[in-house]
Amino acid sequence: MRRVNDTETLDLFEVPRPVIPNPGCGNYAALVSELVGAVLKDTPVDRHEIAAQMSRLSGDDVSKHMLDAWSSPARADHNIPLYRVPLLEEVCHSHAFTDWLVHQRGGRVAYGREALAAEYGKRQRMMDQLKADMRELKRLMGEEE
């Protein structure tokens, strides 16, 4: 059986590293446009409604035509402004940009219960280490259990 090289699935135990672009390859304009297009495609809400909700949340006008321009790789000079990305993610119930940016910087994001479980695990490890340190102190004081 031939092994498939899956570049999308993250290895649970692999330490993430920042993506360092080769010289001349760090222009993400087309990729950002494709991400906008994917976010818009993956939501059941139409672009008119997305624009209306973004306008309502931001307090200024976001039009369907702006969404169309932001999602077109051919119009990479009309990328979505960074300050609009959280609104787009909120309205479309997406984390695509957050996940992509964190991946670029060498991280992984946990949401909701997963974030709480990670924090719980971190604190459990801290508590285990503290207990081990306290046992060692008792041993050094001659009060072995």
Side-chain angles (χ1 to χ4, degrees):
M1 176 180 250
R2 199 171 133 231
R3 187 175 176 151
V4 177
N5 188 11
D6 180 3
T7 60
E8 297 300 314
T9 303
L10 297 174
D11 182 353
L12 182 62
F13 302 108
E14 180 183 338
V15 176
R17 282 179 256 153
V19 174
I20 301 171
N22 293 323
C25 296
N27 185 341
Y28 300 112
L31 182 67
V32 167
S33 295
E34 290 170 6
L35 263 172
V36 172
V39 168
L40 293 172
K41 182 180 177 188
D42 290 344
T43 187
V45 180
D46 74 2
R47 291 183 183 200
H48 291 285
E49 181 58 28
I50 293 168
Q53 289 183 33
M54 287 180 70
S55 296
R56 197 173 309 111
L57 290 173
S58 68
D60 50 38
D61 186 44
V62 176
S63 69
K64 181 211 178 272
H65 297 293
M66 292 167 82
L67 295 175
D68 293 341
W70 294 340
S71 65
S72 172
R75 299 190 64 193
D77 56 328
H78 287 82
N79 269 156
I80 185 171
L82 181 60
Y83 61 90
R84 299 279 192 208
V85 170
L87 292 175
L88 180 66
E89 285 192 331
E90 177 65 28
V91 169
C92 295
H93 306 286
S94 172
H95 294 109
F97 275 94
T98 302
D99 293 340
W100 173 75
L101 187 57
V102 170
H103 169 74
Q104 292 298 113
R105 301 303 309 136
R108 291 189 185 146
V109 181
Y111 301 98
R113 294 181 72 85
E114 187 179 278
L116 294 174
E119 183 63 24
Y120 181 87
K122 176 182 168 185
R123 294 197 184 186
Q124 185 66 52
R125 286 188 303 277
M126 290 169 59
M127 195 165 66
D128 293 345
Q129 183 61 51
L130 181 60
K131 286 179 182 178
D133 292 348
M134 290 176 72
R135 279 192 303 272
E136 178 63 13
L137 285 172
K138 274 190 166 184
R139 187 190 68 74
L140 292 172
M141 293 184 322
E143 298 178 20
E144 295 182 40
E145 293 178 9

